[in-house]
Amino acid sequence: MPDSHPTAQCVSDQAKTDATQAASSTRKRTEGKRSALGSALSGAASGAMVSLCLQPFDVLRTRMQADSARGEAMGARATVVAIAREGGGLSLWR
């Protein structure tokens, strides 16, 4: 005799629906979350990029403050040229 009892069919359909909902719920909870390692690597990469991009401005600011304290104030462009002339272009990342 085939398993065509209406109650068995309802239970089977309900089990499939529950399994689908549970899988969907699990995906929703884990979607968008990073592992601790992923977060650490992302933070390290962003910190490195900030340093790479903003370091020349920090060197320029520090040099301009030091020159101003000695009474040798120059503009930003002249200070950048002086830094590059004294130590090369890469000295802005010192």
Side-chain angles (χ1 to χ4, degrees), residues 7-23:
T7 306
Q9 185 63 32
C10 289
V11 170
S12 176
D13 290 344
Q14 184 61 39
K16 289 177 186 176
T17 302
D18 289 346
T20 302
Q21 288 175 348

Side-chain angles (χ1 to χ4, degrees), residues 27-53:
R27 274 194 301 270
K28 287 179 184 174
R29 278 185 279 150
T30 58
E31 218 171 74
K33 290 187 180 182
R34 291 189 189 122
S35 67
L37 178 61
S39 292
L41 291 175
S42 176
S46 66
M49 288 303 296
V50 167
S51 292
L52 180 69
C53 294

Side-chain angles (χ1 to χ4, degrees), residues 25-87:
S25 176
T26 301
R27 274 194 301 270
K28 287 179 184 174
R29 278 185 279 150
T30 58
E31 218 171 74
K33 290 187 180 182
R34 291 189 189 122
S35 67
L37 178 61
S39 292
L41 291 175
S42 176
S46 66
M49 288 303 296
V50 167
S51 292
L52 180 69
C53 294
L54 298 180
Q55 181 68 26
F57 295 106
D58 192 43
V59 170
L60 174 64
R61 178 186 54 85
T62 303
R63 176 70 177 265
M64 288 178 73
Q65 288 175 340
D67 289 348
S68 178
R70 287 188 304 234
E72 303 172 6
M74 299 186 280
R77 183 178 295 162
T79 303
V80 168
V81 170
I83 291 171
R85 204 176 288 146
E86 292 170 9

